Amino acid sequence: MARLGRPSPRSRPGRGYRRPMERERTGPIRAVLIDIDGVLTVSWEPLPGAVEAMERLRASGLPLALVTNTTSRTRASICSRLADAGFPVAVDDILTAPAVTAAYLREHHPGARCLLLNAGDIQEDLAGVTFVEPEAHADVDVVVVGGAGDEFGYAALNRVFHHLQRGAHLVAMHRNLYWRTADGLDLDAGAFLLGLERAARVEASITGKPSEAFFAAALAHLGADASATLMVGDDIESDVLAAQRSGITGVLVRTGKYLPETHRSAEGTPDHVLDSFAALPDLLERPASDSR
């Protein structure tokens, strides 16, 4: 496995997109980054063939990490759900936006009083960060925005807006506008983040995908080189093109939040497009001469 070489010819990139250094990927893939929601599962139910594909990757000995912007569960909880569904994963395989956010806050805002707006309990993955109660009348140094849910009501958003007006920094775990559930697409935090930024005239620091820092953390986690790493995701912007900007081979799957119109209008082209994650092992086993 992992004999994939140069990707197949690509259509002309969209306007404004440029590959960093127009790299040539002729060596084998030695590590794989995998998005979870929409790639392995939808509403935590395994997609057809995903478990079997993961088992084949494990059998090949290829190092892998599950990289996700999911903000409603801890790494341990995610691991438990995936393992219960049959995926051969361990906690150390999982890198989440909250975990990377905690590291970012400890480095860039040590000792800061933070206000967290997020759906789900992720405190376990935010060790070393000081949070104030949402309704407390305390000064806030940093507002941290996670994933959207019922917590994103008017009162909470207006409270965040007031803190930003008073000078609080804005840190967001991602900019996802929507995500795929069993019932269809649901709004995510990015839709609210745009309004907060414009109203408060600030720009959020993004810690999860598509930030370069997130992909750097994932590569460091695996001890892998970008040029020998592949990223597979269902979000062409946050997963695939963002990975390519970091020098990683990008693979788009037509599951999860994938939409043909989003694919067509993207300002860049994936290195490979697959019907689903189930096809990834075959792609990796393909000789370099067959991938053109």
Side-chain angles (χ1 to χ4, degrees), residues 3-251:
R3 293 178 293 176
L4 177 64
R6 183 179 298 176
S8 56
R10 296 178 291 271
S11 60
R12 185 168 56 187
R15 292 177 300 168
Y17 180 76
R18 178 178 296 174
R19 292 181 178 278
M21 300 178 64
E22 291 298 323
R23 64 197 185 282
E24 290 289 334
R25 286 185 297 274
T26 57
I29 293 298
R30 301 188 184 280
V32 178
L33 305 178
I34 307 165
D35 185 32
I36 298 175
D37 190 42
V39 175
L40 301 180
T41 66
V42 168
S43 294
W44 298 103
E45 291 296 322
L47 287 166
V51 171
E52 293 79 5
M54 181 70 77
E55 290 172 341
R56 288 178 63 184
L57 291 184
R58 285 299 196 197
S60 75
L62 199 64
L64 60 86
L66 309 186
V67 291
T68 177
N69 278 348
T70 297
T71 58
S72 60
R73 292 179 178 271
T74 63
R75 294 169 67 222
S77 174
I78 292 170
C79 179
S80 178
R81 286 299 298 263
L82 292 175
D84 288 346
F87 289 99
V89 297
V91 172
D92 287 345
D93 296 324
I94 299 170
L95 186 65
T96 66
V100 174
T101 299
Y104 175 88
L105 292 171
R106 291 192 298 266
E107 178 181 355
H108 296 277
H109 300 282
R113 296 178 300 274
C114 301
L115 174 67
L116 176 64
L117 181 60
N118 180 68
D121 183 6
I122 55 173
Q123 293 290 341
E124 180 182 322
D125 285 347
L126 296 170
V129 181
T130 300
F131 289 99
V132 302
E133 291 298 323
E135 297 181 2
H137 297 289
D139 291 335
V140 170
D141 302 310
V142 182
V143 171
V144 183
V145 176
D150 293 340
E151 294 81 358
F152 281 61
Y154 176 81
L157 289 168
N158 198 44
R159 189 180 302 117
V160 165
F161 177 50
H162 290 165
H163 287 303
L164 295 177
Q165 289 182 90
R166 289 193 286 266
H169 296 277
L170 179 59
V171 173
M173 297 186 191
H174 59 74
R175 286 192 178 277
N176 295 352
L177 296 173
Y178 49 82
W179 61 297
R180 173 73 66 179
T181 72
D183 298 321
L185 297 178
D186 282 0
L187 279 178
D188 209 341
F192 302 95
L193 185 63
L194 288 170
L196 287 171
E197 288 180 311
R198 184 164 183 178
R201 298 181 181 179
V202 299
E203 183 176 353
S205 298
I206 308 300
T207 53
K209 296 178 294 183
S211 72
E212 291 185 8
F214 186 91
F215 287 103
L219 292 171
H221 181 73
L222 290 178
D225 292 330
S227 61
T229 301
L230 177 149
M231 170 71 203
V232 54
D234 64 326
D235 187 320
I236 191 169
E237 297 291 346
S238 293
D239 293 336
V240 180
L241 300 185
Q244 290 177 194
R245 286 192 289 271
S246 290
I248 299 168
T249 298
V251 178

